[in-house]
Amino acid sequence: MVGIVVVSHSDKLAEGVVELAKQMTGGKEIPIRAAGGLDDGSLGTSFEKILNAINEVYSEDGVLILMDLGSAIMTTQMCVESLPEEMQAGIKLCNAPLVEGAVAAAAATAQGLSLDEVKKRAEEVPVIKVQGEEAPLPQKEKEASKGEVKSVEVQIINPTGLHARPSAIFVQLANKFKSKIIVQNITAGKPPADAKSVMEMAVNGTANKGEWIRISAQGEDAEEALKALKELVESGFGEVESESGRAESIDIQKEETITKGEFRGTPVYPGYVVAPAYVFFRRKKDSKKESKGSPEEELQKVKEAISLALKEIRGLKERISKEGDPKVAAIFDFHAMVLKDEKMLSQVESLIREKGASASEAISSVLEEWAEKLENQDTELMKERSADIRDIADRVLRILSGEGEFKFKIEGEDKVVLIAEELLPSETASLDRNLIAGIAVAQGGTTSHAAILARMWGIPSVVGLGSEVMKIPSGTRVALDGSEGKLIVNPPQDLIQVFERKREETEALEREFLAKAKEPAITLDEHGIEVVANVGNLETVSEILEFGAEGIGLLRTEFLFLNRSEMPSEEEQYVAYSRVAEIMGDKPVIIRTLDVGGDKPLSYIPMSREDNPFLGVRAIRLQKLYPDLLKSQIKAILRAGLKGNLKFMLPMVATLDEVRWAKEILEECKEELEKKGVDYSEKVEMGIMVEIPSAAIVSEHLAKEVAFFSIGTNDLTQYTLACDRGNKSLSYLFDSLNPAVLKLIKMVVEGAHACGKWVGVCGEMAGQKEAIPILVGMGVDELSMNARLIPPAKALIRRLRFSELKELAEEALNLGTAEEVRKLVGEKCEL
Ligand code: PEP
Ligand code: MG
């Protein structure tokens, strides 16, 4: 008998539906289970509950799963994907309404029908409607939907955002009006939610501090409703005290264009630009017009389109590599891998052969499914990679429809500010840098392709501006402030002058800083700080010297290990590390041993799915499971140490035992090399990254065992504040200037110095102007950052006095919030 699982956000609802469905089986026992709510009984969907329910009803006849709201579908899909493949094949998700579907499915199961039949019965079940031409709306609703739709956009300014209590207050107020009221989080691009429904607001209507929502109202009191709701948001729901934090809002004109106003987003690359807008709309492919041949013909079309797509991708990659953008170029390796993926190809083939799909339909269906799966992943980075899959689909579909390769058609000689909803990698790669003065993106986070590229090319950019920017007509003059994250439409003359002045000043300063970049960073009272670079691939090693890097403080070695089917040999690593050592000469190079696992899996090392990948088997924990991985890396480093000044450090150290274990491994590596008669350097020192609070707390013990510390403030902040560093919704929490993080850094510096060891900082914080005075003041000896940040960082250090910074750091450590620390630094230092 086919098993049935009812997934709902509510435990009671799921149980109730199961109870009702059981009444429809004519007394027959059927395998049906409820999986509702979270483990503690609150609203939500629980991975474990769904998994248990599936296992309980699973048989060879298969399982049908019915779900209520959007995120239930997501959790269910993830759950099914975690099961063995042979089980997955026998599980189907059902598109039916929950109650009616469960009842129909139960009846069909009791009749002994097959899984496909049960699913069909459930999905075809008629939904109960009240008789009449249309279901009568409640009187209030009917009145509400008369009249024009009015909207207003407003930014959420209160710390907790539009969740929980503020959301409940919002719903209460909305219910005081007759109009139909809809809320949409335009920053996060969520679906619209009914502002009068607590449930809808809880699922789709949430927004975080800093995000923009659009409130639309239709009905006789629409205007009053908008005014009151806007004021409520602007008041910060009683959580914001001062006037200074008032939200800005843009009244949406009834016409479809926006010709004035200001948008706020997330800054990606600083700089001031005033230029005409070039608003880019992606053209939709219309595959319906394409003719469909026999399955063999359609398969042949797929084959030819994929081989052409691979050729285009090779060309793009070569061009980008020549321009010196290896990171962007590497994205296209992933595109090529997807197009050669056998699973993808076999799914396309079966759609064509078994379902009679055309080449375009099959490609678009399979790749869209993949993109959605990625979108539902836990980490932002994976979510954003769904753009890659859509890009690949776009390319193949374009080829199938006979169109030529995509090119931006920017006319005229003037540089433009490119405005786009989002940018796909191919679109980004085909940009002509000489024509782009700035980039403004409606969606996307700071790890999106557009952001990666903008940073690499040094183009002033802002992301997350919200979809309304797409209403700015091309050619409209806009001012883009990449430092503050603002886009101003039709800026007034005086603002243009301010931008122009700031641009000139910034450029002059950049030139000045660069001219002195190779000189050391010494404070006014002669305290020296070593300023070195973070490097993530071989190609950029030489260019960091131009920016004045005095060494490499963090060489992330993941580039050697990811996106391949087998582990790099010791020899391959030796060649790579030797190359870096040779380029850097006697300048120090700190190689970080592999930091993968959890969210960054390796295809050649078995890793199981983890509920909390960031707290799971990654970095040194993975190396403990596979010591040969660490050994091959250490041996390659010891050997390459003869070519330059190499050191290495271990990531994610949490305990003293881990350090002692790594030291034993180091000794074993030396013995093995000696036994084989292979030369190596005795001078290679071992340090550790301090990026877990436990390591910071016991740093005094750890310092006795190692040569140096490098503080990974990205992870240290993540673990101290228990906040996923890639989660956009938690960006308000992720702040390395939080005094809790500062106190841990201070402990590490004291622990190291007490044992005569030095301390560096290699997280993003090391390059941030507000953080540098505090880090120097706390006694940090080395700062390692993105090479482009080195010239301004050195210039800043040269303007400061160490004796004052020590006092500043002491004062900062006694403050309560990151904001207070930032304010203090702003007041005391000329940043
Ligand atoms: C850090 O955590 O601060 C760090 C530098 O390492 P990564 O960003 O590679 O985790
Ligand atoms: Mg780290």
Side-chain angles (χ1 to χ4, degrees):
M1 233 186 265
V2 172
I4 301 171
V5 173
V6 176
V7 179
S8 164
H9 280 67
S10 152
D11 189 16
K12 285 189 191 137
L13 178 61
E15 290 291 352
V17 171
V18 166
E19 193 187 339
L20 186 63
K22 279 183 179 166
Q23 305 301 310
M24 312 294 162
T25 63
K28 240 188 208 161
E29 279 273 311
I30 58 161
I32 180 166
R33 292 288 180 282
L38 296 176
D39 299 336
D40 61 1
S42 58
L43 293 183
T45 43
S46 151
F47 188 91
E48 267 71 36
K49 278 195 174 185
I50 302 171
L51 199 64
N52 290 342
I54 295 175
N55 281 321
E56 279 174 31
V57 297
Y58 182 81
S59 73
E60 274 182 4
D61 293 334
V63 177
L64 186 71
I65 310 182
L66 293 112
M67 297 135 298
D68 60 358
L69 302 167
S71 61
I73 303 172
M74 208 166 82
T75 319
T76 307
Q77 278 169 341
M78 278 165 55
C79 196
V80 174
E81 276 154 26
S82 74
L83 292 165
E85 278 195 8
E86 59 281 11
M87 245 179 119
Q88 284 187 35
I91 300 175
K92 297 225 153 124
L93 272 55
C94 183
N95 269 324
L98 193 72
V99 180
E100 292 92 336
V103 166
T109 294
Q111 289 167 33
L113 298 182
S114 69
L115 178 60
D116 282 337
E117 268 305 310
V118 174
K119 180 168 183 277
K120 196 159 167 253
R121 291 275 177 100
E123 287 178 345
E124 285 176 357
V125 68
V127 179
I128 301 163
K129 278 206 180 118
V130 180
Q131 288 299 305
E133 276 194 350
E134 56 171 309
L137 286 171
Q139 195 55 27
K140 212 164 125 196
E141 283 270 289
K142 239 185 172 179
E143 280 169 19
S145 45
K146 280 190 212 145
E148 88 189 49
V149 179
K150 298 198 165 81
S151 351
V152 68
E153 292 192 3
V154 61
Q155 192 179 24
I156 303 294
I157 56 163
N158 59 308
T160 47
L162 194 52
H163 298 270
R165 190 190 71 94
S167 180
I169 300 175
F170 192 92
V171 173
Q172 271 168 14
L173 182 61
N175 272 299
K176 295 203 169 124
F177 296 94
K178 289 190 183 141
S179 295
K180 187 172 169 53
I181 303 172
I182 298 290
V183 168
Q184 187 170 18
N185 180 334
I186 48 177
T187 306
K190 290 189 186 169
D194 181 347
K196 295 185 178 179
S197 154
V198 181
M199 195 60 202
E200 270 207 31
M201 285 294 287
V203 177
N204 288 324
T206 56
N208 297 314
K209 183 182 174 197
E211 290 181 337
W212 287 77
I213 57 167
R214 181 186 303 137
I215 314 170
S216 311
Q218 187 184 23
E220 62 186 57
D221 54 4
E223 241 160 63
E224 295 100 285
L226 289 183
K227 186 166 175 282
L229 290 166
K230 185 175 147 215
E231 277 173 6
L232 175 68
V233 176
E234 286 178 344
S235 74
F237 298 91
E239 292 176 5
V240 181
E241 285 158 20
S242 75
E243 276 288 296
S244 62
R246 285 192 78 76
E248 287 160 62
S249 61
I250 303 167
D251 283 316
I252 300 299
Q253 331 281 304
K254 254 186 276 135
E255 63 267 30
E256 279 303 287
T257 58
I258 288 181
T259 50
K260 67 177 169 57
E262 180 177 317
F263 294 86
R264 276 178 189 262
T266 313
V268 168
Y269 193 84
Y272 301 88
V273 177
V274 179
Y278 171 83
V279 186
F280 166 64
F281 290 94
R282 190 168 303 123
R283 208 146 51 85
K284 285 229 160 43
K285 309 268 160 329
D286 188 1
S287 57
K288 288 198 191 79
K289 286 194 210 132
E290 289 159 30
S291 61
K292 190 173 6 172
S294 69
E296 289 312 322
E297 283 165 340
E298 292 304 300
L299 282 170
Q300 186 57 24
K301 279 193 211 164
V302 170
K303 211 170 139 201
E304 284 166 12
I306 286 183
S307 100
L308 203 56
L310 284 169
K311 203 166 146 219
E312 282 183 9
I313 288 170
R314 260 198 312 277
L316 257 180
K317 189 186 162 189
E318 271 165 29
R319 184 167 75 72
I320 299 289
S321 304
K322 272 197 208 119
E323 289 184 26
D325 294 325
K327 231 170 165 180
V328 174
I331 294 167
F332 294 106
D333 286 336
F334 173 67
H335 287 208
M337 272 162 60
V338 171
L339 282 176
K340 290 183 202 154
D341 188 287
E342 296 205 347
K343 189 153 183 207
M344 187 280 282
L345 295 173
S346 82
Q347 285 174 350
V348 167
E349 183 170 351
S350 72
L351 277 185
I352 292 176
R353 287 198 194 282
E354 289 158 28
K355 299 264 157 67
S358 71
S360 306
E361 286 161 354
I363 287 283
S364 119
S365 150
V366 170
L367 289 178
E368 185 51 34
E369 198 179 313
W370 281 34
E372 280 170 16
K373 277 187 193 158
L374 278 172
E375 243 165 21
N376 292 336
Q377 295 290 313
D378 291 339
T379 64
E380 281 300 308
L381 216 62
M382 293 303 276
K383 285 183 192 175
E384 280 167 0
R385 294 298 83 90
S386 62
D388 284 288
I389 304 289
R390 297 208 166 97
D391 194 11
I392 298 163
D394 236 52
R395 180 178 299 282
V396 181
L397 293 178
R398 179 181 44 71
I399 293 172
L400 282 168
S401 70
E403 275 178 51
E405 202 165 351
F406 172 80
K407 286 255 167 354
F408 278 98
K409 296 196 177 59
I410 299 175
E411 278 151 22
E413 311 249 297
D414 282 349
K415 282 193 173 193
V416 296
V417 170
L418 174 70
I419 300 180
E421 185 69 39
E422 57 162 2
L423 284 174
L424 294 175
S426 322
E427 290 159 358
T428 314
S430 73
L431 279 176
D432 180 348
R433 271 188 258 180
N434 300 319
L435 293 177
I436 306 294
I439 299 177
V441 181
Q443 307 295 333
T446 49
T447 48
S448 62
H449 290 299
I452 293 173
L453 178 107
R455 267 196 296 269
M456 216 147 42
W457 286 350
I459 300 176
S461 310
V462 182
V463 296
L465 285 156
S467 296
E468 288 295 313
V469 286
M470 300 305 287
K471 291 186 180 167
I472 301 170
S474 277
T476 310
R477 189 157 16 185
V478 291
L480 184 79
D481 177 347
S483 315
E484 295 271 322
K486 287 194 229 167
L487 180 76
I488 298 132
V489 190
N490 267 325
Q493 200 51 39
D494 52 347
L495 189 77
I496 295 177
Q497 278 162 5
V498 172
F499 263 56
E500 189 53 28
R501 202 190 64 233
K502 284 190 177 173
R503 190 180 61 77
E504 279 168 12
E505 281 169 10
T506 316
E507 285 176 6
L509 271 179
E510 272 172 11
R511 279 194 298 274
E512 189 191 315
F513 294 162
L514 201 57
K516 293 198 180 136
K518 293 186 183 161
E519 291 170 25
I522 301 172
T523 60
L524 292 170
D525 50 354
E526 303 291 318
H527 178 77
I529 299 289
E530 201 173 333
V531 186
V532 290
N534 290 352
V535 173
N537 55 43
L538 285 186
E539 291 81 351
T540 41
V541 175
S542 350
E543 83 186 29
I544 64 166
L545 296 170
E546 294 311 305
F547 291 106
E550 293 160 9
I552 295 179
L554 166 64
L555 177 68
R556 291 182 167 104
T557 52
E558 290 75 63
F559 73 93
L560 276 170
F561 291 80
L562 292 169
N563 297 331
R564 51 189 296 162
S565 53
E566 58 195 30
M567 194 173 118
S569 63
E570 180 189 315
E571 205 51 34
E572 183 181 341
Q573 294 184 61
Y574 167 68
V575 171
Y577 305 145
S578 300
R579 177 95 195 96
V580 181
E582 279 162 359
I583 297 173
M584 296 301 290
D586 56 4
K587 293 189 166 64
V589 174
I590 303 177
I591 299 178
R592 177 179 73 184
T593 58
L594 192 58
D595 183 2
V596 297
D599 64 319
K600 278 185 250 152
L602 296 176
S603 58
Y604 44 90
I605 301 267
M607 293 179 200
S608 38
R609 189 195 170 279
E610 295 177 311
D611 284 345
N612 290 305
F614 283 112
L615 301 181
V617 184
R618 55 177 287 202
I620 191 168
R621 302 161 184 199
L622 186 77
Q623 291 158 352
K624 278 198 87 172
L625 282 182
Y626 301 97
D628 285 345
L629 200 65
L630 181 61
K631 276 187 160 179
S632 76
Q633 218 173 356
I634 294 182
K635 283 194 257 178
I637 296 168
L638 289 173
R639 290 168 57 200
L642 292 170
K643 308 260 169 110
N645 182 1
L646 298 190
K647 306 172 196 299
F648 75 95
M649 62 181 176
L650 306 159
M652 298 281 296
V653 169
T655 66
L656 189 57
D657 292 337
E658 285 169 338
V659 177
R660 290 186 176 148
W661 169 80
K663 282 175 84 176
E664 279 168 24
I665 293 282
L666 172 61
E667 287 316 308
E668 278 175 32
C669 288
K670 288 181 179 175
E671 276 166 29
E672 284 173 25
L673 289 174
E674 270 159 32
K675 241 190 229 157
K676 281 197 195 155
V678 180
D679 286 343
Y680 70 91
S681 166
E682 281 284 359
K683 289 195 210 128
V684 174
E685 290 176 337
M686 185 183 98
I688 56 164
M689 288 196 71
V690 180
E691 46 187 350
I692 295 182
S694 63
I697 294 165
V698 298
S699 55
E700 214 176 315
H701 298 293
L702 299 174
K704 292 183 192 127
E705 305 281 342
V706 297
F708 62 91
F709 286 157
S710 184
I711 309 178
T713 46
N714 305 337
D715 278 317
L716 188 63
T717 308
Q718 150 163 281
Y719 296 125
T720 305
L721 291 149
C723 133
D724 177 349
R725 62 196 250 189
N727 187 333
K728 251 198 284 172
S729 316
L730 297 178
S731 54
Y732 69 97
L733 260 185
F734 187 83
D735 195 335
S736 301
L737 282 180
N738 186 301
V741 180
L742 299 183
K743 283 191 177 171
L744 288 172
I745 297 175
K746 179 75 178 154
M747 285 175 87
V748 180
V749 175
E750 283 172 355
H753 287 180
C755 296
K757 309 289 165 66
W758 63 267
V759 183
V761 172
C762 63
E764 294 298 308
M765 181 188 198
Q768 288 163 359
K769 60 183 194 301
E770 300 88 352
I772 291 172
I774 307 245
L775 294 173
V776 174
M778 285 200 287
V780 166
D781 306 285
E782 175 236 51
L783 295 172
S784 189
M785 61 193 74
N786 175 333
R788 280 181 184 274
L789 300 174
I790 292 178
K794 283 189 169 183
L796 171 62
I797 293 168
R798 292 185 198 117
R799 292 198 293 275
L800 303 169
R801 198 171 286 281
F802 184 51
S803 57
E804 289 168 6
L805 297 183
K806 284 199 262 187
E807 283 169 25
L808 175 82
E810 275 309 313
E811 223 179 301
L813 284 165
N814 287 320
L815 293 175
T817 67
E819 221 155 290
E820 286 166 13
V821 175
R822 210 165 258 116
K823 189 161 163 264
L824 174 76
V825 180
E827 280 164 8
K828 295 275 166 85
C829 306
E830 188 202 327
L831 296 178

